[in-house]
Amino acid sequence: MMMVPEGGLQEQIAALHDTLTYDTPIRGGVKSETLVSAGGKFELGFFTPLNSSSESYVGIWYHNLNPRTVVWVANREKPVFVNLTSTGVFAIKEGNLQVLDSFTDDESYWSTGLEPIKSSNLTVRLMDSGNLVLFSDDGEDDRLAVQKSLWQSFQNPTDTFIPGMLMDKSLELTSWRDQDDPGIGNFTFKLDQEGGNQYVISRKSIPYWKSGEPGEFSTSAEMPPLITYMLSNFRMRGVSPNNLTRLEDNYTRLVMNFTGELQFLTYTKQWNLDWWEPKDRCSEFNACGDFGSCNSNNIPRECKCLPGFSPQFVEKWKSGDFSGGCARQSKICEKNDTFLSLKMMKVGKPNPPIKLTTKQYAGTSA
């Protein structure tokens, strides 16, 4: 999620309502139409990132905040290329919410991906929470509409988590490609699938950072209780009441940044970066590879090999690429080998134990 200054094709916007139906699509272009939530907190419409003159995306941002801060993007992998004859349309078609080409109405740049249905009784509403909800309109209020929703943006996020969402095992934040490109980037954030209330950042599916937890094993900083409380959709206990007011305002967000940082920001006249991880190279997961240790005070490189080990790939190591780790210098368990006590070290959680039946154990022992 990035802040997008006004400019390019983002001309004057006519905000009309918070609801989209079959008969009232949102059209891009010179006088782009938008939805604005009932309380005026969020806005949805077409936007063009900085340094682009023709690529247009459908997004949700904070209404009346400048510069524009985008929290969700629909067609992030396939922008609409705007020209004199064609702009984008955000509409309900065949039971799905879609980004279409205004000229042909046949090319779809994005879709909610639901099974096609013929019902014309579908409605899309931008809630004051920032959630975009597609539901069958039977006159329900917002709460019932969410409960009966066919699709909602809170369960299909891009790079930003805001209050009201729930971080469960199915939810994942994916960074932008870079500061001005909302395409799918290299970093993802989600619950650690190994269990517990730990979280993991991955870089191209490889663990990049893991949250720590109190106890003997800790790879990095423990996630602040205020953030885990927000990620649980305010269901966890143990958060000071004095801090809860900070989360009641929707101008609070957790962002998987394109740089690989997980950033927690709050708004008071401007965006403030209150917390982030990883804070340095040594906060990264397995920063120095196998049998390597990391210390930010090490000069000239943060990484060193443990005693008795040397870099696996010397030239890469010298260039600052420590991914190859270190290799043992001698054979395992020689006569004079001893165990060294390494103090002031943080290590990762041990691998979970493998449960074997008696028969399996006998086979592996043999």
Side-chain angles (χ1 to χ4, degrees):
M1 188 278 329
M2 302 305 299
M3 294 179 289
V4 184
E6 304 292 340
L9 294 178
Q10 297 150 8
E11 283 99 347
Q12 206 170 345
I13 292 178
L16 301 176
H17 41 259
D18 68 348
T19 302
L20 181 153
T21 65
Y22 270 105
D23 300 325
T24 59
I26 296 296
R27 301 182 183 277
V30 176
K31 292 185 179 180
S32 179
E33 303 164 343
T34 69
L35 300 181
V36 175
S37 64
K41 292 181 179 179
F42 288 92
E43 186 171 3
L44 176 145
F46 285 86
F47 74 96
T48 300
L50 190 65
N51 299 326
S52 175
S53 60
S54 61
E55 295 182 352
S56 184
Y57 300 87
V58 172
I60 297 172
W61 56 86
Y62 294 100
H63 183 53
N64 285 337
L65 281 195
N66 193 20
R68 178 177 292 160
T69 303
V70 179
V71 299
W72 181 81
V73 182
N75 55 318
R76 61 186 308 188
E77 278 295 272
K78 193 175 181 181
V80 178
F81 288 92
V82 180
N83 53 46
L84 295 175
T85 61
S86 177
T87 60
V89 176
F90 195 49
I92 299 172
K93 182 180 180 182
E94 298 176 349
N96 277 276
L97 189 57
Q98 300 191 46
V99 180
L100 303 166
D101 188 289
S102 63
F103 183 70
T104 64
D105 196 35
D106 291 328
E107 183 175 4
S108 178
Y109 295 88
W110 175 84
S111 170
T112 47
L114 305 174
E115 289 291 330
I117 57 175
K118 295 182 179 181
S119 172
S120 60
N121 199 33
L122 298 180
T123 296
V124 176
R125 184 173 299 154
L126 179 61
M127 307 295 185
D128 234 17
S129 62
N131 193 10
L132 185 68
V133 181
L134 172 66
F135 62 98
S136 179
D137 189 1
D138 295 319
E140 295 96 342
D141 58 20
D142 284 3
R143 182 179 58 83
L144 291 176
V146 171
Q147 290 177 355
K148 298 177 65 176
S149 67
L150 303 173
W151 178 94
Q152 52 182 300
S153 63
F154 270 15
Q155 295 176 350
N156 299 271
T158 50
D159 69 330
T160 302
F161 188 102
I162 56 178
M165 298 172 66
L166 173 64
M167 177 61 73
D168 56 21
K169 289 188 175 181
S170 65
L171 200 74
E172 181 175 288
L173 304 182
T174 304
S175 66
W176 282 29
R177 193 168 289 137
D178 63 37
Q179 185 171 353
D180 300 316
D181 185 349
I184 294 176
N186 294 328
F187 295 94
T188 59
F189 170 74
K190 61 183 180 181
L191 266 173
D192 192 341
Q193 302 301 307
E194 293 181 1
N197 292 319
Q198 287 188 282
Y199 302 88
V200 59
I201 297 173
S202 297
R203 183 177 187 175
K204 296 181 178 179
S205 300
I206 299 173
Y208 179 73
W209 174 85
K210 286 191 176 185
S211 66
E213 61 182 3
E216 181 181 357
F217 298 98
S218 179
T219 59
S220 187
E222 183 184 354
M223 187 80 78
L226 185 67
I227 299 177
T228 57
Y229 183 63
M230 184 177 77
L231 290 171
S232 73
N233 197 16
F234 315 118
R235 297 174 185 176
M236 293 182 66
R237 297 180 180 180
V239 179
S240 169
N242 295 331
N243 289 326
L244 300 185
T245 55
R246 296 173 60 190
L247 296 178
E248 290 174 358
D249 190 344
N250 279 325
Y251 297 156
T252 301
R253 55 195 174 100
L254 186 71
V255 180
M256 183 66 260
N257 193 272
F258 72 95
T259 61
E261 284 186 357
L262 183 68
Q263 301 176 337
F264 179 67
L265 302 104
T266 57
Y267 190 87
T268 50
K269 296 184 179 179
Q270 64 179 11
W271 285 110
N272 306 295
L273 181 59
D274 292 347
W275 177 89
W276 72 97
E277 281 290 350
K279 287 185 168 58
D280 53 37
R281 177 64 180 266
C282 293
S283 299
E284 296 174 12
F285 184 78
N286 201 25
C288 299
D290 295 344
F291 303 109
S293 67
C294 191
N295 187 331
S296 298
N297 295 321
N298 284 348
I299 298 175
R301 303 178 187 90
E302 302 101 323
C303 289
K304 288 185 177 181
C305 291
L306 296 177
F309 294 79
S310 59
Q312 181 102 313
F313 306 104
V314 177
E315 293 304 316
K316 286 186 176 181
W317 190 274
K318 290 180 179 179
S319 70
D321 181 356
F322 308 112
S323 59
C326 305
R328 189 181 295 274
Q329 294 174 335
S330 59
K331 295 180 180 179
I332 299 176
C333 297
E334 291 188 337
K335 184 177 180 180
N336 297 322
D337 279 353
T338 60
F339 288 99
L340 296 178
S341 177
L342 301 176
K343 299 179 180 180
M344 302 299 292
M345 288 279 188
K346 291 182 179 181
V347 297
K349 288 180 63 179
N351 292 329
I354 301 174
K355 295 182 180 180
L356 298 175
T357 64
T358 303
K359 186 175 181 181
Q360 289 173 321
Y361 179 74
T364 55
S365 298

